[in-house]
Amino acid sequence: MAIRGILRPGEVCIRVMDKEKARRHYGEIMGLHEVLEEDDKLYFKCWDEWDHHSVVLRVTDRPGMDYLAFKVYSDAGLDDLEAKLKGRDYEVEHIEAGVYPKSGRRIQFTLPTGHTMQFYAEKEQLGNTMGAHNPGVIPDDGVVRGVETPGLDHILLGGQDIDACLELFTELFDFDFVEQLIDAESKMKLAVFLSCSNKPHDIAFVRQPEDNKFHHASFRLENAADVVKAADRLGKYRVPIDVGPNRHGVTRGATIYFFDPSGNRNEVFAEGYVHYPDIPTLTWDTDELGAATFSQDFTPRQSFLEVLT
Ligand SMILES: [Fe+2]
């Protein structure tokens, strides 16, 4: 199936508490490119993203996520999504073009887990310095830097009613239910992994006692060797590590988890499998919680399961 509906998580707005520390973390260390500054906000893009920005940092007094916005393929897709949401009694707010910088109109609503989510179809494009005609294979010198992530990959959110989120994303938004972690005895879903693309997940939800919690934003890398190289860089700059280089059982992605200076978790992620819609949902249970989360040492981490912003 060609992707002609919801394309990807195109923008995440993360709350940070110190503008300069956040600028250094996401800019110099992670290697994102700062494209715009407002009084209380910084805007960044990853090098191989065409759109103007994918990460917005809002300076305030607490960490966490303000909103997550998915890009959709066409403006007509926004009307279609609005009709579907209203058909299930979701309140949908209209945000005019230009209210968010470089962005067309958006629709906004609240997920069953309390998170603010948006859809938009238009955003000014800056490109990746290679152009669209005879683009070559590597960008201009200096464009790839820091942790060298080419793009935002996926977002993991925490809240209570992840079953309702699963239904919303699969039935209304046409996402695939790719993987799940369930309690071995009660069979209750503890985490669900959803894709609108060939990626093993574009968004995931983990069951948490408190709604509207942010687990992490994940940035793509090319391969596991790049994940090890990222670990060297994160260590050099004394970035607090949650879980060092490892591989998830769920999604099979090579991973590192670490924290930005405000305590928000970031991930670098590479090599998850290619997902197709005809592949059955993969299920892990808590008897294999260690291998499901971190397959190389099959050891669950308490901080990974419990620390959210
Ligand atoms: Fe992740």
Side-chain angles (χ1 to χ4, degrees):
M1 180 183 72
I3 304 172
R4 291 291 184 274
I6 298 169
L7 300 178
R8 59 177 174 273
E11 181 174 319
V12 60
C13 182
I14 299 170
R15 294 191 293 268
V16 297
M17 297 186 290
D18 184 307
K19 196 183 211 179
E20 291 314 314
K21 285 182 180 171
R23 171 179 265 145
R24 178 163 184 270
H25 175 81
Y26 288 93
E28 288 175 43
I29 298 173
M30 290 298 290
L32 276 61
H33 292 267
E34 186 178 326
V35 288
L36 182 66
E37 179 174 9
E38 295 175 336
D39 278 352
D40 63 340
K41 293 197 187 82
L42 294 172
Y43 296 78
F44 289 90
K45 76 183 283 292
C46 303
W47 78 260
D48 205 15
E49 293 170 335
W50 279 68
D51 283 357
H52 184 271
H53 59 270
S54 60
V55 174
V56 183
L57 306 178
R58 183 171 74 88
V59 184
T60 182
D61 59 356
R62 66 199 168 104
M65 186 190 80
D66 273 354
Y67 65 85
L68 169 64
F70 273 80
K71 189 173 191 185
V72 303
Y73 182 67
S74 69
D75 189 75
L78 297 179
D79 295 331
D80 180 47
L81 288 162
E82 177 172 356
K84 287 180 174 174
L85 283 161
K86 286 184 169 170
R88 296 286 183 100
D89 294 328
Y90 282 88
E91 278 184 33
V92 178
E93 191 181 328
H94 291 174
I95 301 169
E96 296 302 315
V99 171
Y100 286 80
K102 315 295 182 184
S103 172
R105 71 180 180 109
R106 298 184 177 200
I107 60 172
Q108 176 171 292
F109 58 100
T110 304
L111 293 175
T113 42
H115 302 87
T116 299
M117 187 165 151
Q118 301 173 348
F119 290 118
Y120 66 95
E122 304 289 339
K123 191 185 277 184
E124 183 180 313
Q125 293 197 319
L126 294 178
N128 60 7
T129 77
M130 295 157 70
H133 184 198
N134 297 334
V137 295
I138 59 170
D140 292 348
D141 289 347
V143 172
V144 180
R145 57 183 196 152
V147 165
E148 303 187 354
T149 172
L152 181 65
D153 190 84
H154 64 267
I155 304 290
L156 200 157
L157 303 175
Q160 296 176 65
D161 197 354
I162 65 171
D163 302 285
C165 286
L166 173 63
E167 185 187 327
L168 175 68
F169 277 77
T170 53
E171 292 187 13
L172 265 66
F173 301 159
D174 288 331
F175 278 54
D176 295 327
F177 181 22
V178 180
E179 290 204 54
Q180 63 177 336
L181 171 68
I182 63 171
D183 183 84
E185 293 193 353
S186 70
K187 311 300 181 196
M188 175 193 274
K189 288 177 170 50
L190 302 178
V192 295
F193 300 82
L194 296 145
S195 177
C196 60
S197 66
N198 268 144
K199 288 147 61 182
H201 56 341
D202 288 285
I203 189 168
F205 293 92
V206 60
R207 191 179 298 277
Q208 286 286 314
E210 205 179 333
D211 273 339
N212 199 13
K213 301 300 280 186
F214 178 51
H215 192 279
H216 66 267
S218 185
F219 297 89
R220 187 170 65 256
L221 290 176
E222 297 286 319
N223 54 54
D226 284 352
V227 171
V228 173
K229 201 162 73 169
D232 287 336
R233 184 165 295 276
L234 296 170
K236 175 181 173 73
Y237 293 109
R238 305 294 190 266
V239 175
I241 302 296
D242 185 20
V243 183
N246 212 305
R247 188 178 295 276
H248 292 302
V250 174
T251 73
R252 291 189 222 150
T255 180
I256 307 171
Y257 287 103
F258 49 99
F259 294 103
D260 78 5
S262 301
N264 295 299
R265 187 184 284 98
N266 295 162
E267 178 186 30
V268 286
F269 179 94
E271 297 185 350
Y273 53 74
V274 176
H275 166 74
Y276 287 98
D278 62 333
I279 294 173
T281 302
L282 308 179
T283 297
W284 294 79
D285 69 44
T286 44
D287 285 344
E288 285 282 11
L289 178 61
T293 48
F294 300 105
S295 68
Q296 292 178 340
D297 59 10
F298 37 89
T299 303
R301 267 71 168 180
Q302 215 58 27
S303 65
F304 178 74
L305 300 170
E306 293 175 1
V307 175
L308 290 86
T309 55

